[in-house]
Each structure stands twice: as C-alpha cells, then as structure tokens.
C-alpha cells in the first residue's frame, strides 16, 4: 500500500478456522488501501471463506476488522454498510428480476453511480436480461448482475470472488477495464479473490494464500 494512502480495511490479529480444522489464517495483520488488491491462492486455500469473514458473514475466531472507521465487533451494521459482497452461490435474489436485484443491492448506498452501472451493464451485455428473474439467468449472467452493482457502488470496500468464472471474453474485458479505473482512485478498495494471477489490471497489492 502506498504509505500516503489511508487504509480502508484494517485487519488486526485475525484468526479463522472451521470447526475441527486447521486455521486458514492465524494472527493475520494487514492494511488494505485504495485500488485493487489480489487475494491469490489455489483452490482450497480458503479465499472464499476469507472474503466471507471480511464481509462479516462468517465469524472470525479472533481479531478485529475495521472498514472506513467502522469496526465489525462494535458496530456490525455500520461495518456491513461499508462493504459490498455477494456470495456467488446465494439464492436469495432468485425471485427478483436482475433490475430489482440491482436496486436491492444499491439500497442505502448513497454513492451508487447509476451512469457507471449502466455502462458496465452494457459492457456485460446485460440489457436483454434485466427484467428476467435471477433464477432464469446463467451462472455467468448472475455474476454480471452482482458485479455490475458492486463495481458501480459507492461503498469503500468491494469484495469479488472469482469474478471471471462463467464470463465470456467481452465481459471479461469490460471487467478488467472497469477494475483498472480503480487505480489511483481514493476512497475505494476492491479485493479480488482468484486462483489465477492477474496481469491485466494495475494492482495495489497481492496477498498470497495460505497465510497460516
């Protein structure tokens, strides 16, 4: 992280383990600043679980997480309002249209950029799908809906889990182009969890798993 850039996500002595399993992380300390950070590791190293811990969806064994001044253990609702994350396997939006899903994800997000969302939705070729219910969409199209909302959000921290899974090449190019726009942008951090290296986007930092 650039020393002149304030940390948007602070991780202090974080530990996490599934019951009766060795820890995925133990006593981890990190400061995540603006821009794109790659969370890199092979399948099974715990990338998805770690994103869910950072999102406040899975409880850490110990440690503290803070985003933009909101601390998860003392102000959980305020913390979660600072973070954009959708679990790629969720079914909670299935009965909403893609447009309604986007509105739900943007609720309470004063910095949501409608024009940016429209541009990303166009780049993802989502226009024919916006009024279809989410359960009717392919895995890749669902990811596009969630990612378009996240990339257009005004929340300080955006978490993307294997964002290229199920994406066609034009949509992948749109994703890389949009992520490149976060380079040098203050007040916004994106963590991309991926089992592949990324050389098409300027990265602020790379975190390699396993950490424990």
């Amino acid at each position: 992280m650039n020393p002149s850039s304030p940390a948007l996500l602070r991780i202090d002595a974080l530990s996490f383990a599934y019951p009766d399993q060795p820890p995925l992380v133990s006593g981890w300390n990190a400061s995540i600043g603006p821009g794109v950070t790659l969370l890199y590791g092979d399948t099974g190293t715990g990338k998805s679980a770690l994103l869910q811990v950072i999102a406040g969806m899975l409880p850490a064994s110990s440690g503290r997480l803070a985003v933009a001044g909101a601390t998860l253990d003392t102000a959980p609702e305020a913390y979660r309002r600072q973070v954009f994350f959708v679990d790629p396997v969720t079914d909670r939006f299935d009965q909403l249209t893609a447009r309604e899903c986007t509105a739900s994800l943007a609720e309470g997000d004063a910095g949501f950029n409608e024009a940016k969302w429209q541009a990303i939705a166009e780049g993802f070729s989502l226009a024919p799908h916006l009024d279809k219910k989410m359960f009717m969409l392919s895995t890749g199209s669902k990811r596009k809906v969630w990612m378009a909302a996240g990339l257009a959000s005004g929340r300080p921290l955006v978490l993307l889990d294997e964002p290229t899974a199920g994406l066609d090449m034009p949509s992948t190019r749109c994703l890389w182009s949009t992520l490149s726009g976060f380079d040098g942008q203050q007040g916004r951090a994106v963590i991309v969890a991926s089992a592949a290296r990324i050389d098409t986007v300027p990265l602020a930092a790379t975190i390699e798993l396993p950490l424990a």
Side-chain angles (χ1 to χ4, degrees):
M1 185 183 74
N2 186 331
S4 64
S5 300
L8 294 172
L9 168 64
R10 291 194 179 278
I11 301 168
D12 297 314
L14 185 72
S15 298
F16 174 79
Y18 286 113
D20 303 319
Q21 296 292 322
L24 293 177
V25 291
S26 181
W28 181 34
N29 297 292
S31 294
I32 308 297
V36 179
T37 293
L38 172 63
L39 181 63
Y40 170 78
D42 290 336
T43 301
T45 53
K47 300 183 301 298
S48 294
L50 194 53
L51 284 191
Q52 291 184 53
V53 172
I54 292 171
M57 294 177 60
L58 275 178
S61 306
S62 61
R64 173 168 285 198
L65 292 161
V67 172
T71 305
L72 179 58
D73 58 341
T74 60
E77 291 307 313
Y79 176 96
R80 292 186 181 100
R81 283 195 296 271
Q82 308 303 311
V83 182
F84 182 97
F85 176 71
V86 176
D87 185 347
V89 300
T90 187
D91 60 2
R92 69 187 179 99
F93 301 107
D94 277 4
Q95 297 305 314
L96 300 180
T97 66
R99 198 183 301 276
E100 290 168 341
C101 175
T102 300
S104 175
L105 292 169
E107 188 175 350
D109 183 355
F112 184 81
N113 188 326
E114 181 76 21
K116 186 175 182 179
W117 173 78
Q118 290 179 346
I120 297 168
E122 182 177 337
F124 281 171
S125 301
L126 279 175
H129 307 296
L130 290 175
D131 295 307
K132 296 177 183 177
K133 291 197 173 183
M134 292 291 285
F135 77 86
M136 301 172 64
L137 303 186
S138 67
T139 298
S141 291
K142 288 179 181 179
R143 284 179 181 269
K144 291 177 187 181
V145 173
W146 297 326
M147 285 195 295
L151 293 168
S153 80
R155 303 184 195 278
L157 180 63
V158 176
L159 308 175
L160 302 179
D161 192 0
E162 296 289 0
T164 60
L167 256 62
D168 53 84
M169 189 53 65
S171 296
T172 300
R173 286 195 292 267
C174 176
L175 171 66
W176 295 148
S177 175
T178 304
L179 286 174
S180 294
F182 285 89
D183 184 38
Q185 185 181 131
Q186 296 300 305
R188 301 290 309 287
V190 183
I191 299 178
V192 176
S194 176
R197 297 282 187 182
I198 296 175
D199 57 10
T200 51
V201 174
L203 295 176
T206 298
I207 299 166
E208 294 200 25
L209 297 179
L211 291 169

